Amino acid sequence: FFQKTLTAVKNWFTLFGWSKGQNPISIPYSLRRDVCKVQMTSSQEKVFKQNLGKDTKTVYDMLFHLSGQLLPGIPSSQSLPLDPVERMLQLHWQHSTLLAFLKSQGAYLPHVMPEFLLEPDDYKRWIKVQTVLKVGDLKNSDIFSAKHLFILEDSIFETMSKRAWTDVLLQVYKVFVLPRVSSRNITDLFSLESVQNMPRIKSEPLSSNIYSPYERTILTWLNKHYEKNRKTVWKDCQKGEVPPMRWIVNFDRDLLDGLVLAAQLAAYCPYLIATHFVRMYTNPRTPEQFLHNCLILVNAMHAVSLAIDVKV
């Protein structure tokens, strides 16, 4: 599940996270590596300026594109100190600033430490520096009250770093992309007679501790189009009767059989009904039938050239 989530996040931000078209990313490797537009070494300063100055896209460029805001104290183009320890300390401060900025916008990242966003070598330098500071505190004080220090093995750190960067991107999506979902017509979504008797998805901010108001708006949209279109899409279905009414309350289990998403696509591309959706199982029970439906849905997306890298 986590790997599928990571792949989905990587694909979305590769396609839509940047101002000038696609920019392939790898999590966490390219995000950790491309932290500054200008990186300098004493012997190759001009080379690095020429190679990385214009083409390198950083996480700060992505945030500026999605939010329209620059992080406080971090210019759009800068250099890192030549000294490895000073460079690590500056990067740690930058990551702390990044996390503080996202939290101020509503992101939930209490489990992500700035050091988890560093490169492995910089993380080792961070541990070494903090260990020295802690030893000094122990020698100079009878009371040791420094914060906890997480010392991770290489493989565990890589796993933690990958999870941390994935969660950062998910929260970036939550606070800067999902709020663009319009709620202007949410009161009209259940105006049709066929859906008036369905349970409603409450849009109040405190009505759910799982989904945001924008996610619940999407759930309302899914319910509306499924109930409106299910009898139209599958009235002539080849593999069963018209699917029954359902209440869609989550984004995983309720979408597994492909029927809900097919109903959404049919609402905007009704010509796909006869060529694709009539061949779907309307009451799938086996993994093979679920896969059959999802393959038809993916083929339908490809038929209308949706720019989404969907794989089954």
Side-chain angles (χ1 to χ4, degrees):
F1 172 80
F2 175 70
Q3 185 60 45
K4 290 180 179 179
T5 302
L6 185 148
T7 300
V9 170
K10 181 182 68 174
N11 290 343
W12 192 93
F13 279 91
T14 291
L15 292 170
F16 308 115
W18 312 91
S19 60
K20 296 181 180 180
Q22 300 181 19
N23 179 49
I25 66 170
S26 57
I27 303 173
Y29 310 108
S30 67
L31 298 174
R32 294 188 312 204
R33 182 185 66 240
D34 301 335
V35 288
C36 283
K37 285 181 176 297
V38 180
Q39 287 185 321
M40 296 188 300
T41 65
S42 57
S43 61
Q44 294 181 313
E45 178 175 342
K46 294 183 179 180
V47 176
F48 271 83
K49 280 187 175 181
Q50 181 180 0
N51 291 344
L52 299 180
K54 295 182 179 180
D55 298 331
T56 300
K57 295 181 180 180
T58 71
V59 65
Y60 311 118
D61 295 319
M62 179 191 71
L63 284 174
F64 181 73
H65 170 62
L66 296 177
S67 70
Q69 303 179 60
L70 291 173
L71 265 66
I74 301 179
S76 58
S77 181
Q78 64 175 327
S79 61
L80 291 171
L82 301 180
D83 180 76
V85 174
E86 292 182 4
R87 182 173 65 248
M88 175 273 296
L89 292 174
Q90 178 172 323
L91 287 174
H92 189 276
W93 173 81
Q94 290 182 191
H95 293 328
S96 299
T97 302
L98 168 65
L99 294 174
F101 171 74
L102 293 177
K103 291 174 183 177
S104 71
Q105 302 298 313
Y108 186 74
L109 294 164
H111 59 294
V112 177
M113 305 296 181
E115 52 267 30
F116 296 159
L117 305 179
L118 295 170
E119 289 272 18
D121 289 342
D122 284 332
Y123 172 72
K124 293 176 182 178
R125 294 187 183 99
W126 166 258
I127 293 298
K128 184 175 181 180
V129 169
Q130 295 304 304
T131 302
V132 172
L133 292 176
K134 285 179 180 289
V135 171
D137 289 340
L138 283 171
K139 290 181 178 179
N140 298 325
S141 175
D142 293 332
I143 300 176
F144 179 49
S145 59
K147 65 178 182 180
H148 294 292
L149 182 62
F150 295 96
I151 302 177
L152 307 177
E153 298 179 357
D154 292 350
S155 59
I156 297 178
F157 171 76
E158 283 294 347
T159 300
M160 183 68 74
S161 183
K162 184 179 296 186
R163 177 63 183 268
W165 275 109
T166 302
D167 289 347
V168 165
L169 292 182
L170 284 170
Q171 292 299 307
V172 167
Y173 184 88
K174 184 186 82 171
V175 299
F176 294 129
V177 180
L178 274 184
R180 300 175 189 173
V181 176
S182 174
S183 60
R184 289 179 300 172
N185 299 322
I186 189 171
T187 56
D188 299 329
L189 291 178
F190 281 96
S191 60
L192 296 175
E193 182 179 354
S194 60
V195 296
Q196 284 180 350
N197 296 325
M198 289 185 61
R200 305 299 174 90
I201 304 292
K202 294 183 179 180
S203 59
E204 290 79 7
L206 299 181
S207 63
S208 172
N209 63 348
I210 299 176
Y211 294 130
S212 69
Y214 314 107
E215 290 169 309
R216 295 198 294 279
T217 299
I218 295 175
L219 286 173
T220 300
W221 173 72
L222 291 172
N223 276 283
K224 179 251 185 179
H225 279 303
Y226 174 76
E227 183 55 31
K228 177 184 176 182
N229 295 316
R230 64 184 176 88
K231 296 180 181 179
T232 303
V233 176
W234 291 288
K235 65 179 181 179
D236 299 319
C237 60
Q238 303 171 3
K239 298 183 182 295
E241 301 176 348
V242 172
M245 177 186 290
R246 67 169 74 174
W247 190 28
I248 303 152
V249 295
N250 59 63
F251 293 102
D252 44 18
R253 185 173 300 177
D254 290 338
L255 305 184
L256 281 177
D257 60 12
L259 296 175
V260 174
L261 293 178
Q264 316 310 309
L265 195 54
Y268 301 95
C269 306
Y271 51 85
L272 292 173
I273 296 174
T275 59
H276 291 77
F277 300 144
V278 294
R279 296 183 285 114
M280 298 178 75
Y281 288 97
T282 55
N283 188 26
R285 298 182 180 277
T286 66
E288 291 78 14
Q289 291 175 344
F290 276 75
L291 176 61
H292 172 89
N293 282 1
C294 291
L295 285 172
I296 290 177
L297 179 62
V298 170
N299 288 335
M301 290 181 176
H302 291 166
V304 295
S305 299
L306 278 179
I308 304 175
D309 185 18
V310 180
K311 298 178 181 179
V312 179

